[in-house]
Amino acid sequence: MLRIVRLGSSRVRGEGLRIGAVRFPPRGVPKGDVAKRDIYDLWFPLLAPSAELIAGFRAGDITEAQFFRRYRAEMKERASAQALELLAALSRQTNLSIGCYCEDEAHCHRHVLRELLTRLEADVR
């Protein structure tokens, strides 16, 4: 089973490995404390929006709709697509979670990850 989570939120029982699909590690948190603070166990920036895409969105150069469209295109690139396929397959065998720091999933790339993984028949909860 795969859960989509907000990094830093309290873990739930049986959540499994927590994967950080974020471009940058948390600021000011020693590497050894990242898992202790329920942020993530494994940093996996391959599934995060590119730094250029993030910068364009933060600067207001692109809309939220454009951001999500471009992020979907990035996830079609071979390495990202293969990583999504692997996570989908693993979700049918073991518990894991994937997430980002954003408070509201509706305005975060997490909802796109949920959509893409569901299409790949991941066991998403």
Side-chain angles (χ1 to χ4, degrees):
M1 173 184 55
L2 179 110
R3 293 181 189 276
I4 309 294
V5 300
R6 179 177 184 203
L7 301 180
S9 64
S10 297
R11 294 176 190 252
V12 298
R13 187 175 181 170
E15 182 177 303
L17 182 74
R18 187 176 271 200
I19 300 167
V22 291
R23 181 58 45 198
F24 307 104
R27 292 182 189 172
V29 178
K31 192 174 184 178
D33 288 350
V34 173
K36 291 177 192 171
R37 294 188 186 182
D38 289 335
I39 300 173
Y40 55 72
D41 300 309
L42 175 72
W43 180 37
F44 202 29
L46 179 65
L47 296 181
S50 66
E52 297 79 17
L53 185 56
I54 293 168
F57 182 62
R58 287 182 178 165
D61 297 336
I62 60 173
T63 66
E64 186 174 83
Q66 290 170 321
F67 173 83
F68 290 135
R69 186 173 61 251
R70 291 180 188 177
Y71 175 65
R72 283 183 182 90
E74 289 180 353
M75 291 301 98
K76 289 181 182 177
E77 294 174 12
R78 185 175 182 180
S80 298
Q82 288 176 330
L84 289 170
E85 288 176 18
L86 175 64
L87 289 176
L90 286 171
S91 76
R92 295 186 292 271
Q93 302 292 320
T94 191
N95 293 340
L96 59 137
S97 58
I98 189 165
C100 178
Y101 309 119
C102 298
E103 187 172 338
D104 186 353
E105 183 179 324
H107 300 286
C108 175
H109 73 283
R110 285 195 320 261
H111 89 270
V112 176
L113 283 173
R114 179 185 300 278
E115 168 192 310
L116 296 173
L117 289 161
T118 299
R119 285 186 191 163
L120 293 169
E121 299 181 4
D123 182 8
V124 180
R125 303 283 162 102

